[in-house]
PDB file of all heavy atoms in Angstrom:
ATOM      1  N   PRO M 949      86.494 228.233  65.553  1.00  0.00           N
ATOM      2  CA  PRO M 949      87.451 228.353  66.657  1.00  0.00           C
ATOM      3  C   PRO M 949      88.908 228.441  66.208  1.00  0.00           C
ATOM      4  O   PRO M 949      89.725 229.119  66.840  1.00  0.00           O
ATOM      5  CB  PRO M 949      87.214 227.075  67.473  1.00  0.00           C
ATOM      6  CG  PRO M 949      86.643 226.099  66.494  1.00  0.00           C
ATOM      7  CD  PRO M 949      85.840 226.905  65.524  1.00  0.00           C
ATOM      8  N   VAL M 950      89.250 227.760  65.116  1.00  0.00           N
ATOM      9  CA  VAL M 950      90.640 227.781  64.653  1.00  0.00           C
ATOM     10  C   VAL M 950      90.963 229.174  64.102  1.00  0.00           C
ATOM     11  O   VAL M 950      92.008 229.768  64.412  1.00  0.00           O
ATOM     12  CB  VAL M 950      90.891 226.678  63.593  1.00  0.00           C
ATOM     13  CG1 VAL M 950      92.307 226.742  63.082  1.00  0.00           C
ATOM     14  CG2 VAL M 950      90.595 225.302  64.183  1.00  0.00           C
ATOM     15  N   LEU M 951      90.027 229.716  63.309  1.00  0.00           N
ATOM     16  CA  LEU M 951      90.258 231.061  62.768  1.00  0.00           C
ATOM     17  C   LEU M 951      90.351 232.097  63.882  1.00  0.00           C
ATOM     18  O   LEU M 951      91.186 233.007  63.833  1.00  0.00           O
ATOM     19  CB  LEU M 951      89.124 231.450  61.805  1.00  0.00           C
ATOM     20  CG  LEU M 951      89.122 230.762  60.442  1.00  0.00           C
ATOM     21  CD1 LEU M 951      87.939 231.246  59.620  1.00  0.00           C
ATOM     22  CD2 LEU M 951      90.427 231.018  59.687  1.00  0.00           C
ATOM     23  N   LEU M 952      89.514 231.953  64.918  1.00  0.00           N
ATOM     24  CA  LEU M 952      89.553 232.921  66.026  1.00  0.00           C
ATOM     25  C   LEU M 952      90.905 232.849  66.731  1.00  0.00           C
ATOM     26  O   LEU M 952      91.554 233.862  66.986  1.00  0.00           O
ATOM     27  CB  LEU M 952      88.416 232.648  67.020  1.00  0.00           C
ATOM     28  CG  LEU M 952      88.425 233.529  68.273  1.00  0.00           C
ATOM     29  CD1 LEU M 952      88.308 235.014  67.922  1.00  0.00           C
ATOM     30  CD2 LEU M 952      87.294 233.140  69.238  1.00  0.00           C
ATOM     31  N   SER M 953      91.347 231.628  67.020  1.00  0.00           N
ATOM     32  CA  SER M 953      92.627 231.466  67.716  1.00  0.00           C
ATOM     33  C   SER M 953      93.764 232.064  66.873  1.00  0.00           C
ATOM     34  O   SER M 953      94.607 232.828  67.378  1.00  0.00           O
ATOM     35  CB  SER M 953      92.851 229.969  67.985  1.00  0.00           C
ATOM     36  OG  SER M 953      94.153 229.729  68.393  1.00  0.00           O
ATOM     37  N   GLN M 954      93.763 231.748  65.598  1.00  0.00           N
ATOM     38  CA  GLN M 954      94.863 232.241  64.746  1.00  0.00           C
ATOM     39  C   GLN M 954      94.800 233.757  64.559  1.00  0.00           C
ATOM     40  O   GLN M 954      95.831 234.428  64.507  1.00  0.00           O
ATOM     41  CB  GLN M 954      94.840 231.506  63.407  1.00  0.00           C
ATOM     42  CG  GLN M 954      95.183 230.018  63.581  1.00  0.00           C
ATOM     43  CD  GLN M 954      95.233 229.248  62.283  1.00  0.00           C
ATOM     44  OE1 GLN M 954      94.678 229.665  61.275  1.00  0.00           O
ATOM     45  NE2 GLN M 954      95.889 228.098  62.304  1.00  0.00           N
ATOM     46  N   ALA M 955      93.574 234.307  64.482  1.00  0.00           N
ATOM     47  CA  ALA M 955      93.449 235.768  64.329  1.00  0.00           C
ATOM     48  C   ALA M 955      93.944 236.473  65.597  1.00  0.00           C
ATOM     49  O   ALA M 955      94.594 237.527  65.530  1.00  0.00           O
ATOM     50  CB  ALA M 955      91.997 236.138  64.048  1.00  0.00           C
ATOM     51  N   LEU M 956      93.659 235.893  66.753  1.00  0.00           N
ATOM     52  CA  LEU M 956      94.127 236.490  68.014  1.00  0.00           C
ATOM     53  C   LEU M 956      95.653 236.445  68.103  1.00  0.00           C
ATOM     54  O   LEU M 956      96.305 237.407  68.527  1.00  0.00           O
ATOM     55  CB  LEU M 956      93.519 235.745  69.210  1.00  0.00           C
ATOM     56  CG  LEU M 956      92.025 235.981  69.465  1.00  0.00           C
ATOM     57  CD1 LEU M 956      91.464 234.906  70.392  1.00  0.00           C
ATOM     58  CD2 LEU M 956      91.779 237.369  70.061  1.00  0.00           C
ATOM     59  N   LEU M 957      96.213 235.307  67.683  1.00  0.00           N
ATOM     60  CA  LEU M 957      97.683 235.177  67.734  1.00  0.00           C
ATOM     61  C   LEU M 957      98.341 236.161  66.768  1.00  0.00           C
ATOM     62  O   LEU M 957      99.379 236.763  67.089  1.00  0.00           O
ATOM     63  CB  LEU M 957      98.102 233.744  67.399  1.00  0.00           C
ATOM     64  CG  LEU M 957      97.812 232.696  68.481  1.00  0.00           C
ATOM     65  CD1 LEU M 957      98.107 231.298  67.955  1.00  0.00           C
ATOM     66  CD2 LEU M 957      98.607 232.960  69.762  1.00  0.00           C
ATOM     67  N   ALA M 958      97.730 236.323  65.602  1.00  0.00           N
ATOM     68  CA  ALA M 958      98.306 237.261  64.629  1.00  0.00           C
ATOM     69  C   ALA M 958      98.272 238.678  65.206  1.00  0.00           C
ATOM     70  O   ALA M 958      99.237 239.443  65.090  1.00  0.00           O
ATOM     71  CB  ALA M 958      97.527 237.192  63.315  1.00  0.00           C
ATOM     72  N   ARG M 959      97.173 239.027  65.859  1.00  0.00           N
ATOM     73  CA  ARG M 959      97.071 240.372  66.448  1.00  0.00           C
ATOM     74  C   ARG M 959      98.068 240.532  67.603  1.00  0.00           C
ATOM     75  O   ARG M 959      98.706 241.565  67.751  1.00  0.00           O
ATOM     76  CB  ARG M 959      95.633 240.588  66.929  1.00  0.00           C
ATOM     77  CG  ARG M 959      95.371 241.963  67.481  1.00  0.00           C
ATOM     78  CD  ARG M 959      93.882 242.117  67.742  1.00  0.00           C
ATOM     79  NE  ARG M 959      93.585 243.145  68.705  1.00  0.00           N
ATOM     80  CZ  ARG M 959      93.381 244.428  68.421  1.00  0.00           C
ATOM     81  NH1 ARG M 959      93.455 244.842  67.180  1.00  0.00           N
ATOM     82  NH2 ARG M 959      93.100 245.307  69.370  1.00  0.00           N
ATOM     83  N   ALA M 960      98.175 239.460  68.401  1.00  0.00           N
ATOM     84  CA  ALA M 960      99.151 239.520  69.506  1.00  0.00           C
ATOM     85  C   ALA M 960     100.545 239.769  68.929  1.00  0.00           C
ATOM     86  O   ALA M 960     101.337 240.551  69.473  1.00  0.00           O
ATOM     87  CB  ALA M 960      99.122 238.212  70.298  1.00  0.00           C
ATOM     88  N   GLY M 961     100.851 239.101  67.811  1.00  0.00           N
ATOM     89  CA  GLY M 961     102.158 239.283  67.160  1.00  0.00           C
ATOM     90  C   GLY M 961     102.358 240.741  66.753  1.00  0.00           C
ATOM     91  O   GLY M 961     103.435 241.320  66.958  1.00  0.00           O
TER      92      GLY M 961
END
Side-chain angles (χ1 to χ4, degrees):
V950 178
L951 287 180
L952 175 60
S953 168
Q954 293 182 340
L956 288 164
L957 288 173
R959 183 172 158 89

